[in-house]
């Protein structure tokens, strides 16, 4: 009787593996989307501050730091290849990983410069750095993201 229960348990676990893999892929995609939304939210907040649409100049450094921190997680968030699912990521992220790594490095470099500029309080430097971050985002999206 114990052997039958053990075999039933093992069989159930083996049958569940594809379901677990699918759930993992779905969560991987959602994690990446959340990370990109964080980047977008910090950028939108920074732009609102430098355009003086909001009176929160004292938050600029915190947003720049948050943006840089999220950028540092982006590359790792895309290491695991997903196939299918509800995503705008192109397969070239994994088939041309060297080019994707270059795009990620461009993001890291530009967000680090923005952090430095924000900490200095030099608004023209902040504006230039925001432009560079925007260019790195556009470059990656144009190359590695399907349009919605």
């Amino acid at each position: 009787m114990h052997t039958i229960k053990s075999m039933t348990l093992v069989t159930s676990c083996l049958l569940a593996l594809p379901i677990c893999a699918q759930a993992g892929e779905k969560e991987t995609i959602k994690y990446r989307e959340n990370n990109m939304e964080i980047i977008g939210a910090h950028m939108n907040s920074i732009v609102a501050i430098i355009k003086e649409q909001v009176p929160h100049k004292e938050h600029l450094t915190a947003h720049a730091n948050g943006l840089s921190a999220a950028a540092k997680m982006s590359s790792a968030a895309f290491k695991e290849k997903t196939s299918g699912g509800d995503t705008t990521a192109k397969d070239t992220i994994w088939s041309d990983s060297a080019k994707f790594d270059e795009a990620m490095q461009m993001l890291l470099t530009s967000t680090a410069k923005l952090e430095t500029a924000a900490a200095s309080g030099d608004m023209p430097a902040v504006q230039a750095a925001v432009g560079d971050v925007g260019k790195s985002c556009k470059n990656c999206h144009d190359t590695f993201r399907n349009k919605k």
Side-chain angles (χ1 to χ4, degrees):
M1 185 68 141
H2 181 60
T3 304
I4 293 173
K5 286 182 180 178
S6 296
M7 288 180 65
T8 302
L9 178 62
V10 169
T11 302
S12 297
C13 289
L14 290 174
L15 291 172
L17 284 176
I19 295 167
C20 292
Q22 289 173 342
E25 186 167 277
K26 179 181 175 184
E27 294 307 311
T28 296
I29 292 168
K30 185 62 179 166
Y31 181 82
R32 287 193 282 235
E33 289 172 345
N34 289 339
N35 192 64
M36 293 295 112
E37 287 173 10
I38 291 166
I39 289 173
H42 281 300
M43 273 295 283
N44 289 335
S45 295
I46 290 167
V47 169
I49 291 167
I50 64 176
K51 287 184 173 182
E52 298 181 352
Q53 296 170 334
V54 295
H56 302 295
K57 196 171 181 180
E58 73 280 6
H59 296 170
L60 185 62
T61 301
H63 283 298
N65 293 342
L67 175 62
S68 183
K72 290 173 186 167
M73 292 182 257
S74 295
S75 184
F78 284 93
K79 287 297 179 196
E80 184 180 335
K81 182 180 180 185
T82 53
S83 57
D86 187 20
T87 181
T88 58
K90 289 183 179 179
D91 285 338
T92 52
I93 290 171
W94 301 282
S95 65
D96 193 354
S97 60
K99 189 171 181 179
F100 183 72
D101 290 345
E102 286 176 25
M104 288 290 101
Q105 187 56 53
M106 186 177 169
L107 177 64
L108 292 173
T109 300
S110 64
T111 56
K113 287 180 182 177
L114 177 57
E115 264 189 304
T116 301
S120 76
D122 180 354
M123 291 310 284
V126 169
Q127 290 172 337
V130 166
D132 288 343
V133 173
K135 287 176 191 173
S136 70
C137 292
K138 182 177 179 350
N139 171 58
C140 195
H141 286 192
D142 287 352
T143 308
F144 297 107
R145 182 180 183 205
N146 290 311
K147 295 183 190 240
K148 291 183 178 183

